[in-house]
Each structure stands twice: as C-alpha cells, then as structure tokens.
Amino acid sequence: MEIISDIIAQLLHWVQQLGYFGIMLGLMIEVIPSEIVLAYGGYLVSTGAINYFGAVFFGTVGGVVAQLFIYWIGRYGGRPVLEKYGKYILIKKSHIDHAEAWFDKYGSGVIFTARFIPVVRHAISIPAGISRMSHMRFILLTTLAVIPWSALFVYLGMVLGSQWEHIDDIASKYTVPLIVAAIVLLAAYFLVKWKMKNKKKGG
C-alpha cells in the first residue's frame, strides 16, 4: 500500500507540474481513479495555479480520450485483450460482464447513463467498441456524461482545498443523486424504446 501511495503522490506531483495538461494526461492514462485526479485539479484551482473552467475542460478531454482508448481496444482487440490487460487500466472481468449485460439490455443509449453507475461506468466503452458503435455517437454521449462528472469533482476539490484527499468523505452526497438520476433516465429510455418497438410491431 505504501508503494501505491508513493506512486500516486508522484503522479499527482506530475499533474501539478503540468497543470491543465497534467489533469488531461492523468485522466487519459487512468493509472489512478479519475475522481482523485479531478479533485486534485480542484485543489490546484483553490491555490490559483489554474482556473476552474480550464480544469473542467481539460478534465473532460482527458476523460473522453481515456474512454475512446478503451472503445478502440474493444473494437479492434475484443474482449480477450481486455480480460488480459484490463487490470492495468482498473478494469476487472466482473466490470466487463456487467457492462456487456447492460449494453445488451439497453443498447447504445446506455453509454450516457452508465457513466454515473458504479462498476459499469468504467467498462461500458468495451461493448460499445465490440459492437462497432458509431464513433461520433460514442464521443457525443461520452462527452455529455464526462462534463458534469468533471465539473463536480473539480468543484469539490476546489471547495475542500488542502483537504482534497477527503474527497471520498463528501463525494457520496453528490454522486448518489447523480446515480439515482441516471437510473431514472435509463428507465425512461428503456420505456420509450420498448414502446417504439411495440408500436413498430403493431404497424
């Protein structure tokens, strides 16, 4: 654990040195959870090193590119490659199982809502890639989901300031409503899709 802590500390020092690009690259390589990188970015905002909107922008770019990499692995390498190397980008076999089940059940529209659901959100790009979902549709839905996620954690890190490491202690108060909203949207999406399917059969 101490070694892991040292690695994280070194990476965050790297983020501090690079500023906006450090946030973007920190999210792209996904060695540590995005919440930590974004919260640390918020801390940098509180010190005046960078500004809030810049941190959110580069955090969004980094988050989208990170998911695009996973999408490409799914599209061109398939599930076997992810099962073998996914652990290096914080993706477990169980994550892949859940993501595929959600994608098969709800279709491509789940790309947006699943970004707010624990377990599924880290791996939902895999079935999108395997099914060869449109690049533009994938990028659009992913971006729409990453923006509020980045904005939230940068803001929380900014409010916490030097206490940003306690992000887990307060994040649930904000992420739980996001999860509930995502599930409601998902249910509404599924209902509309089901009605359209039945209407098509009736026609």
Side-chain angles (χ1 to χ4, degrees):
M1 290 297 293
E2 185 176 346
I3 294 176
I4 294 175
S5 297
D6 290 342
I7 292 174
I8 292 176
Q10 186 59 44
L11 287 172
L12 292 179
H13 176 70
W14 178 56
V15 170
Q16 182 180 27
Q17 295 297 311
L18 294 177
Y20 299 116
F21 289 102
I23 295 173
M24 182 178 71
L25 293 174
L27 290 168
M28 284 172 58
I29 61 177
E30 288 208 330
V31 175
I32 54 179
S34 62
E35 297 92 325
I36 294 178
V37 176
L38 292 168
Y40 187 72
Y43 160 67
L44 294 180
V45 172
S46 73
T47 66
I50 57 178
N51 70 65
Y52 175 78
F53 293 105
V56 172
F57 174 79
F58 281 92
T60 299
V61 172
V64 172
V65 172
Q67 292 304 313
L68 195 54
F69 284 153
I70 298 174
Y71 166 88
W72 285 333
I73 294 174
R75 182 169 182 135
Y76 302 113
R79 177 166 179 149
V81 174
L82 267 302
E83 289 186 354
K84 186 174 182 179
Y85 300 106
K87 59 184 178 181
Y88 298 111
I89 50 176
L90 308 179
I91 293 177
K92 301 177 182 177
K93 183 179 181 297
S94 59
H95 295 166
I96 301 175
D97 292 337
H98 284 295
E100 286 192 335
W102 275 56
F103 197 88
D104 290 341
K105 184 175 182 179
Y106 299 111
S108 60
V110 78
I111 291 297
F112 172 79
T113 51
R115 297 294 177 198
F116 305 100
I117 310 297
V119 180
V120 180
R121 71 185 188 86
H122 287 299
I124 196 63
S125 301
I126 297 170
I130 293 175
S131 67
R132 295 184 175 275
M133 178 181 176
S134 161
H135 274 87
M136 290 304 297
R137 181 174 173 78
F138 175 81
I139 292 173
L140 175 62
L141 292 174
T142 300
T143 301
L144 291 176
V146 172
I147 288 174
W149 190 261
S150 299
L152 172 61
F153 280 93
V154 171
Y155 171 75
L156 293 179
M158 181 178 68
V159 171
L160 287 170
S162 62
Q163 301 297 312
W164 71 270
E165 292 181 0
H166 297 289
I167 185 68
D168 289 339
D169 297 335
I170 68 166
S172 61
K173 292 189 295 185
Y174 299 90
T175 56
V176 169
L178 279 177
I179 292 171
V180 172
I183 292 175
V184 170
L185 284 173
L186 187 61
Y189 169 78
F190 181 70
L191 181 61
V192 170
K193 187 176 179 181
W194 177 75
K195 285 186 174 181
M196 290 179 66
K197 184 177 181 180
N198 284 347
K199 186 176 181 181
K200 188 175 181 180
K201 284 184 178 179

